[in-house]
């Protein structure tokens, strides 16, 4: 986690306004941007013992840097605003404040921006979105793939249940939802890598009475669904 923090810090995205160091020259001599206050450009030299990231507050997604990141990932902004929030957080020692897109994951949030991928909170888990009277459950390895699928297929109101693992290692925690939900069919959107193969084999061995469909044929040759959508 300290390594991830150093990566953000070196990039400059840690400042409250989302500007990287390669953008700061445009604002030299200015004391504020859109009335938001002075631009933070200094790097922290000693971040100390970080500990876990903790949430400060969340809002609707409004920041230009995050909206542009969604565009780059080819995720529909309205779909993103329905499922995600703009989270502001800090390491346990409060050395700096950060912001990112936040996807709810048990007792915290999956946090993403163009330069950071991590978790904010005290407990990570799978995300279960149950649809009434659905006999089908879609399982995605990550939330970006789920939002990419909705954006690509232009689905605003899914009529199927969804489980987002938020990490392949959490796959076992999806089983109670699938079994209790009584789903007849499970569509698996795993990554095209070793972890994706491991997850598919796990569900294949664990769900003998359920029809499993490996959806990776839809994005063969790409790491995941989002990578395929971004290539279009």
């Amino acid at each position: 986690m300290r390594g991830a923090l150093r990566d953000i810090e070196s990039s400059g995205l840690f400042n409250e306004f989302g500007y990287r160091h390669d953008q700061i020259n445009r604002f030299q001599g200015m004391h504020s941007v859109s009335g938001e206050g002075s631009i933070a450009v200094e790097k922290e030299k000693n971040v100390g013992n970080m500990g876990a990231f903790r949430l400060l507050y969340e809002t609707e997604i409004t920041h230009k840097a995050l909206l542009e990141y969604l565009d780059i990932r080819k995720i529909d902004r309205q779909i993103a605003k329905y499922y995600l929030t703009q989270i502001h957080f800090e390491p346990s020692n409060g050395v700096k404040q950060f912001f990112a897109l936040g996807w709810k994951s048990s007792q915290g949030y999956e946090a993403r921006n163009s330069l950071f991928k991590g978790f904010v909170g005290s407990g990570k888990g799978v995300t279960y979105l149950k649809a009434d009277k659905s006999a089908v459950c879609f399982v995605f390895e990550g939330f970006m793939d789920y939002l990419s699928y909705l954006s690509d297929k232009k689905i605003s109101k899914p009529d199927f249940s969804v489980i987002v693992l938020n990490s392949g290692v959490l796959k076992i925690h999806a089983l109670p939802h699938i079994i209790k939900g009584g789903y007849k069919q499970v569509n698996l959107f795993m990554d095209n890598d070793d972890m994706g193969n491991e997850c598919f084999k796990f569900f294949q061995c664990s769900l003998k009475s359920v029809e499993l469909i490996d959806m990776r044929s839809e994005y063969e040759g790409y790491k995941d669904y989002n990578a395929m959508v971004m290539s279009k």
Side-chain angles (χ1 to χ4, degrees):
M1 195 274 290
R2 293 179 61 184
L5 186 56
R6 286 195 295 270
D7 290 342
I8 314 173
E9 208 166 27
S10 64
S11 72
L13 195 68
F14 60 81
N15 76 71
E16 185 69 13
F17 310 99
Y19 297 106
R20 300 184 300 274
H21 285 306
D22 61 1
Q23 296 173 306
I24 292 298
N25 289 337
R26 299 187 221 165
F27 305 110
Q28 285 183 343
M30 298 175 65
H31 297 289
S32 65
V33 177
S34 303
E36 293 181 290
S38 61
I39 301 171
V41 296
E42 296 85 1
K43 288 173 61 178
E44 291 291 334
K45 295 181 180 178
N46 298 301
V47 296
N49 183 17
M50 293 292 104
F53 289 119
R54 61 191 176 198
L55 181 71
L56 297 174
Y57 61 93
E58 60 179 322
T59 65
E60 180 183 350
I61 304 170
T62 58
H63 202 288
K64 181 180 178 182
L66 298 181
L67 293 171
E68 289 179 346
Y69 175 59
L70 289 170
D71 293 341
I72 292 171
R73 299 297 294 263
K74 293 193 176 180
I75 293 174
D76 181 270
R77 290 187 179 190
Q78 293 307 309
I79 290 175
K81 287 183 177 182
Y82 182 81
Y83 289 96
L84 307 177
T85 57
Q86 178 175 309
I87 60 172
H88 295 251
F89 55 98
E90 65 181 6
S92 58
N93 64 2
V95 67
K96 207 74 176 177
Q97 291 187 16
F98 304 81
F99 65 93
L101 298 171
W103 164 267
K104 188 63 177 172
S105 171
S106 191
Q107 299 174 46
Y109 292 84
E110 299 295 323
R112 301 288 188 278
N113 60 40
S114 61
L115 296 161
F116 176 71
K117 178 179 180 179
F119 180 77
V120 175
S122 59
K124 185 168 180 169
V126 302
T127 303
Y128 180 41
L129 306 173
K130 181 176 173 55
D132 292 337
K133 301 179 181 179
S134 174
V136 180
C137 184
F138 286 29
V139 180
F140 293 86
E141 198 165 333
F143 76 88
M144 281 293 188
D145 295 318
Y146 172 49
L147 300 185
S148 294
Y149 182 83
L150 296 182
S151 300
D152 186 41
K153 304 297 185 181
K154 298 180 170 42
I155 300 173
S156 58
K157 295 181 179 180
D159 59 358
F160 48 84
S161 294
V162 172
I163 296 174
V164 177
L165 301 181
N166 295 314
S167 171
V169 300
L170 297 176
K171 55 189 177 295
I172 192 171
H173 298 289
L175 292 182
H177 299 301
I178 296 172
I179 295 169
K180 186 177 179 179
Y183 298 109
K184 304 299 182 184
Q185 177 180 316
V186 173
N187 295 353
L188 296 172
F189 291 80
M190 301 296 103
D191 290 358
N192 281 311
D193 57 14
D194 291 341
M195 177 56 76
N197 293 334
E198 180 182 323
C199 287
F200 181 79
K201 290 177 182 177
F202 169 79
F203 288 117
Q204 196 173 42
C205 292
S206 304
L207 300 168
K208 299 290 188 180
S209 62
V210 177
E211 181 184 3
L212 294 180
I213 299 180
D214 189 347
M215 302 299 293
R216 288 181 291 182
S217 60
E218 287 199 16
Y219 46 99
E220 186 176 358
Y222 297 94
K223 179 183 181 297
D224 52 32
Y225 199 96
N226 180 247
M228 183 269 291
V229 170
M230 288 179 64
S231 72
K232 294 184 178 181

